[in-house]
Amino acid sequence: MGRAPCCDKANVKKGPWSTEEDAKLKSYIDTYGTGGNWIALPQKIGLKRCGKSCRLRWLNYLRPNLKHGGFTDEEDNIICSLYISIGSRWSIIAAQLPGRTDNDIKNYWNTRLKKKLLGRRKQSNNNNTINNNRASNINNNSIHNQPKDNNHVANYDDHSLPNYLMSSSAIERLQLHMHLQNDNDPFSSYNNRSLWPKLSPLQQRMINETLNSINHNQNNILMQQQINSLIFPLNKETNIGVSIQESGTVGPADGGIVHRGFCESDRVDDDLINNNNNNKSTSGFFQTGNYYYNSNNNNNSIQVAADHQFDCFKDEMDGLIKGENAVAWTWPGEFDVNSTSSNSWEDSSSAATMIHHQSEGIYDQDFGNMGYI
DNA sequence: AATTTGATCAACCGCGTAAGT
DNA sequence: TACTTACGCGGTTGATCAAAT
């Protein structure tokens, strides 16, 4: 049995809103508010619209103090920085830009800013194949929506990362970050690079060596190990490690703070990931088994919460920040995660207040309840 | 001038999840 | 505790307009 529809699809109007509809909706909400029930609202005011449609129209267009178009360079920088860090969490990004909606930013990014920053590069057939291959893997392994067309991952650089290692988002963000870090890049004149998060020497080395390896040998298992070790230099000896038990739950490897782990049973190849299989402690960087684990607040066991596509930068930085060679992923600007009006921020930061022990800024909202306390 | 292609963006869809019962 | 309902989010679609051919 499918999900019940939120409204009578046959009797609701779809498509662009008329000025009369806008006026009705705005007038009502200005006077009475939403009443906390979007579904019931259209009936109250005689609109033949789905409640969700009303909500979207209000949030994205009719709401007061909205800005449309005309993104400033500063806004561009914020969007790009956050995209590199947290990916397509548009609502979170929007929370940092007063007057902007997530939809607006998403459209702006997908249609303009990405091209503005990276330029337009021709996609190679080879890369398309890689990404298409990825697509089937992603769709087979994720409970989340995935793009039907993974070709949207434009290969802006001549380098392409192995499809079996990274999510499309991670590839794109890595490429973007590298692109913006490149002093010789013709587009970098647009950007104030001082605003971009700095790569640590380790990160820089990881990227360089990763790309060198990929360029010379895309299918080399040793290369995969190299990437793994470079991006995830931390193992059970560090306080980020987790020991993964057969049951699928994980606990702290060293009794310290638990951050996350990867479900061993879902890994691509144990031997690729585990340098020492005996204790089943691992850090992984593979398309399958990229589970994030949520921690129960008061015990040391954590359970699989969701199957997210891997986010290379979050994990990378988590390792770097927590590891002995911790290097701050510093964000200039004034992102105050506690002052935002975003529900998403509030929800996630309430548990852990986005603790970054050695850096400030936005990065780990997904793990606010994971034991950073 | 007509047609094609590309860019933009408002709106929709479906899912996860929080809240309510 | 189980189920239902509604919300919020991110991905995607399609209408419209502009530029290119």
Side-chain angles (χ1 to χ4, degrees):
Chain A
M1 198 172 105
R3 183 187 180 83
C6 63
C7 58
D8 181 2
K9 301 283 184 188
N11 292 316
V12 296
K13 184 182 171 189
K14 293 166 76 171
W17 280 63
S18 67
T19 52
E20 290 78 15
E21 288 175 312
D22 281 347
K24 268 188 180 177
L25 182 60
K26 185 167 177 15
S27 171
Y28 183 89
I29 294 178
D30 282 347
T31 307
Y32 303 105
T34 65
N37 188 343
W38 285 106
I39 301 299
L41 192 144
Q43 287 183 327
K44 287 181 187 170
I45 57 180
L47 276 178
K48 287 184 180 297
R49 289 275 180 178
C50 174
K52 290 176 77 169
S53 179
C54 293
R55 174 184 165 271
L56 212 60
R57 185 64 179 172
W58 171 256
L59 291 177
N60 288 340
Y61 195 82
L62 300 174
R63 188 159 49 107
N65 303 320
L66 282 181
K67 291 187 277 188
H68 294 284
F71 282 80
T72 65
D73 284 355
E74 185 185 2
E75 287 176 314
D76 288 357
N77 282 324
I78 292 171
I79 293 168
C80 190
S81 296
L82 289 174
Y83 184 84
I84 288 172
S85 176
I86 64 175
S88 57
R89 275 85 159 181
W90 303 117
S91 62
I92 294 172
I93 296 173
Q96 305 304 317
L97 299 172
R100 302 294 187 184
T101 70
D102 54 352
N103 206 40
D104 224 14
I105 293 169
K106 177 172 58 180
N107 284 332
Y108 180 57
W109 173 261
N110 286 329
T111 61
R112 287 198 263 177
L113 184 54
K114 191 161 59 176
K115 294 167 189 168
K116 189 176 176 182
L117 295 172
L118 293 171
R120 296 164 198 210
R121 309 277 175 97
K122 189 179 175 182
Q123 286 190 347
S124 72
N125 291 335
N126 183 45
N127 287 335
N128 284 343
T129 301
I130 285 174
N131 283 320
N132 284 334
N133 288 340
R134 275 205 82 260
S136 61
N137 288 329
I138 289 172
N139 290 326
N140 287 339
N141 288 292
S142 174
I143 62 173
H144 284 270
N145 280 347
Q146 294 296 337
K148 289 169 184 162
D149 175 14
N150 276 300
N151 288 333
H152 79 281
V153 184
N155 293 287
Y156 291 99
D157 273 285
D158 294 332
H159 320 291
S160 65
L161 293 166
N163 62 312
Y164 44 80
L165 290 180
M166 299 174 72
S167 72
S168 55
S169 169
I171 291 170
E172 184 176 88
R173 288 156 57 203
L174 179 57
Q175 289 176 334
L176 177 65
H177 198 148
M178 292 165 55
H179 197 86
L180 296 173
Q181 287 288 326
N182 182 357
D183 284 341
N184 298 319
D185 191 275
F187 295 96
S188 62
S189 59
Y190 160 75
N191 302 300
N192 177 359
R193 228 175 301 107
S194 66
L195 292 175
W196 304 120
K198 296 296 183 191
L199 289 177
S200 70
L202 179 61
Q203 290 172 289
Q204 192 65 60
R205 182 172 136 241
M206 174 271 288
I207 288 171
N208 291 340
E209 296 195 20
T210 296
L211 291 174
N212 285 338
S213 297
I214 291 163
N215 284 339
H216 288 98
N217 193 347
Q218 282 210 344
N219 295 313
N220 192 320
I221 289 175
L222 291 175
M223 180 270 288
Q224 295 180 26
Q225 291 175 311
Q226 180 186 30
I227 293 170
N228 187 40
S229 63
L230 286 167
I231 297 177
F232 291 96
L234 307 169
N235 55 29
K236 73 183 183 64
E237 274 82 41
T238 74
N239 67 350
I240 191 176
V242 293
S243 59
I244 299 178
Q245 301 154 13
E246 292 296 343
S247 64
T249 61
V250 298
D254 63 350
I257 298 169
V258 171
H259 297 277
R260 74 202 59 168
F262 300 94
C263 182
E264 185 176 57
S265 61
D266 286 311
R267 289 179 307 179
V268 172
D269 185 331
D270 283 358
D271 292 337
L272 294 181
I273 304 170
N274 254 345
N275 291 326
N276 48 356
N277 282 315
N278 292 337
N279 54 29
K280 296 178 179 176
S281 174
T282 185
S283 55
F285 190 53
F286 294 85
Q287 65 174 22
T288 58
N290 292 327
Y291 292 92
Y292 294 158
Y293 295 86
N294 272 341
S295 170
N296 296 326
N297 286 336
N298 297 318
N299 65 46
N300 285 335
S301 69
I302 53 182
Q303 298 175 328
V304 174
D307 176 6
H308 284 283
Q309 278 308 301
F310 185 67
D311 183 329
C312 72
F313 280 102
K314 276 209 292 274
D315 285 86
E316 175 193 352
M317 291 315 302
D318 197 28
L320 290 168
I321 288 167
K322 298 297 180 188
E324 61 179 7
N325 296 319
V327 179
W329 178 272
T330 54
W331 295 90
E334 299 170 349
F335 304 140
D336 180 355
V337 299
N338 293 319
S339 67
T340 174
S341 61
S342 160
N343 288 335
S344 298
W345 269 137
E346 287 170 356
D347 290 345
S348 56
S349 63
S350 61
T353 325
M354 303 290 298
I355 292 176
H356 258 197
H357 294 298
Q358 298 185 40
S359 68
E360 56 182 343
I362 294 165
Y363 145 64
D364 215 350
Q365 82 292 346
D366 273 356
F367 307 103
N369 59 348
M370 289 184 62
Y372 279 109
I373 299 168

